[in-house]
Amino acid sequence: MRPILISILLVSVSYPVLSQNFLIDETQEIKSTINNYFNGVKNSDEALLNKAFELDKAHMKGFLVEANEEKLTSTPIKDVIERWVSREKRPDMKGEILSIQIYGLAATVTFDFNNQYLDFFHLAKTKNGWKIVNKFYIYK
């Protein structure tokens, strides 16, 4: 009986440490995914972009301004990636992760893109790691 109580005590004391380490690892993986996205756009690198997104499910949504009118759009990410990689590299581009929230197998990230857009990402933890399944942007 005594060994069981000691085991329970050790597990209960170590649980918060294990949980914190798990969140740190998850946060680092999410940051890596967002960095793949940003560096992929910045360097017109299709391989990095493909690594960041769940290609068959992801979409980009946001407001485009056409004729002084904001129009909500939704585009499959494969089409968006094709457009991004056709552009020249932009080495001066800046990006910053503003927040990360993790909810089990889902996460949200807010990202300042070149001090011009705010990107809101939804990520899912897949068998291949954290992948972006939705990108929504607004002009700052």
Side-chain angles (χ1 to χ4, degrees):
M1 177 74 162
R2 191 173 181 165
I4 293 173
L5 289 175
I6 291 172
S7 296
I8 291 171
L9 180 61
L10 287 174
V11 168
S12 66
V13 170
S14 64
Y15 179 74
V17 174
L18 292 172
S19 296
Q20 286 177 340
N21 289 338
F22 174 75
L23 288 178
I24 290 168
D25 290 343
E26 296 298 308
T27 300
Q28 293 303 335
E29 288 183 31
I30 291 167
K31 285 180 180 179
S32 177
T33 298
I34 298 301
N35 287 332
N36 286 338
Y37 150 75
F38 178 69
N39 290 319
V41 172
K42 182 177 176 176
N43 297 307
S44 301
D45 187 325
E46 187 172 5
L48 285 178
L49 290 164
N50 288 342
K51 190 174 178 183
F53 287 92
E54 184 64 35
L55 295 173
D56 293 329
K57 295 178 178 52
H59 281 75
M60 182 172 81
K61 299 168 181 77
F63 288 98
L64 289 179
V65 178
E66 294 178 354
N68 292 328
E69 185 178 325
E70 291 180 342
K71 178 182 173 188
L72 182 60
T73 64
S74 178
T75 308
I77 204 63
K78 287 180 180 180
D79 297 344
V80 177
I81 289 173
E82 190 175 298
R83 199 170 43 220
W84 285 337
V85 299
S86 70
R87 296 177 181 163
E88 294 292 320
K89 293 181 182 180
R90 294 160 280 181
D92 296 333
M93 196 175 281
K94 305 273 187 254
E96 177 186 7
I97 294 173
L98 302 176
S99 68
I100 298 174
Q101 290 87 33
I102 302 170
Y103 307 96
L105 297 176
T108 61
V109 174
T110 305
F111 186 82
D112 181 332
F113 189 93
N114 211 35
N115 203 28
Q116 184 177 7
Y117 299 97
L118 281 177
D119 290 338
F120 304 94
F121 295 101
H122 293 115
L123 294 90
K125 181 145 188 191
T126 70
K127 64 181 179 184
N128 296 316
W130 286 95
K131 299 291 183 179
I132 300 168
V133 295
N134 188 55
K135 175 186 187 253
F136 184 85
Y137 68 92
I138 59 171
Y139 294 100
K140 284 181 96 175

